[in-house]
Amino acid sequence: MASPPYIVGIGGTTRPGSSGERLVRCVLLEAELLGAQSRLFDGKELSALPHYAPESPSRSPEQLDLIEALRRADGVVIGTPAYHGGVSGLVKNALDLVEDMREDNYSYFSGRAVGTVVTAAGWQACGVTLQALRGIVHALRGWPTPIGISVNTVAQKLFNEQGKLIEAAVQTACKSQAEQILSMARGRQ
Ligand SMILES: Cc1cc2nc3c(=O)[nH]c(=O)nc-3n(C[C@H](O)[C@H](O)[C@H](O)COP(=O)(O)O)c2cc1C
């Protein structure tokens, strides 16, 4: 029997429990309900990554951990807040490290579906940041899922006091995105 698909999430900010981190977790939970195993690199872990330095071959244990997980991954979910109309530095720093996978058999994110999640305080940044994130996924030779999740955290109340996602349309989007990631992940096993 094939082993469960392994899905890696990247998302969060220095603020514990950021909405983007929770949404990436939600996609991963939906993937687990469909039989996947998952690993989340949350804001705390992303904050522990040194600045990516292309001229230096040395990598920290945290950087090696992320790259090893991504090499193993059958699918990926990336969540970012919109910072000044683009991907946050914290998330981009993690994605820059994927350069270490350029010479892999599956170069960068080749052959893998990549779910995209954006949180922003306005609709304009919801759109442009989702587009920017998809552009990065294309550059990394990944396949952005048709469902991109983009939420306006000012206009939409996403979570209740207990931190549970209460916006039904966003929950449905998380489920659909997980299904799309897994449909491609199962195809490559
Ligand atoms: C440095 C910084 C820059 C931001 N730039 C934008 C922006 O250009 N457009 C926007 O709509 N929101 C912007 N925001 C707001 C965040 O995108 C918004 O609060 C989002 O919900 C944060 O997501 P999080 O809860 O996952 O941290 C910015 C916030 C910060 C801290």
Side-chain angles (χ1 to χ4, degrees), residues 19-153:
S19 44
E21 181 179 307
R22 290 184 196 180
L23 291 172
V24 171
R25 201 182 293 279
C26 181
V27 177
L28 293 178
L29 282 175
E30 291 290 350
E32 287 188 3
L33 288 174
L34 295 165
Q37 289 180 346
S38 77
R39 166 92 193 263
L40 172 64
F41 288 83
D42 61 13
K44 192 173 170 200
E45 284 172 281
L46 298 180
S47 302
L49 295 174
H51 285 165
Y52 171 68
E55 76 287 0
S56 167
S58 78
R59 298 287 177 252
S60 72
E62 293 82 8
Q63 287 175 312
L64 293 172
D65 191 25
L66 175 58
I67 286 297
E68 189 195 316
L70 288 172
R71 284 201 166 113
R72 235 190 96 197
D74 298 303
V76 180
V77 186
I78 303 169
T80 183
Y83 279 2
H84 306 144
V87 172
S88 74
L90 199 68
V91 171
K92 188 61 169 60
N93 184 49
L95 295 175
D96 288 347
L97 186 61
V98 180
E99 183 61 18
D100 283 11
M101 295 163 66
R102 184 178 56 175
E103 303 296 338
D104 289 9
N105 281 345
Y106 281 96
S107 181
Y108 303 121
F109 292 154
S110 293
R112 276 149 304 172
V114 181
T116 48
V117 178
V118 169
T119 50
W123 295 116
Q124 179 169 294
C126 278
V128 295
T129 307
L130 183 66
Q131 199 54 39
L133 184 55
R134 284 182 155 156
I136 292 169
V137 173
H138 281 145
L140 292 172
R141 302 179 195 170
W143 297 73
T145 51
I147 292 275
I149 299 169
S150 188
V151 296
N152 180 329
T153 55

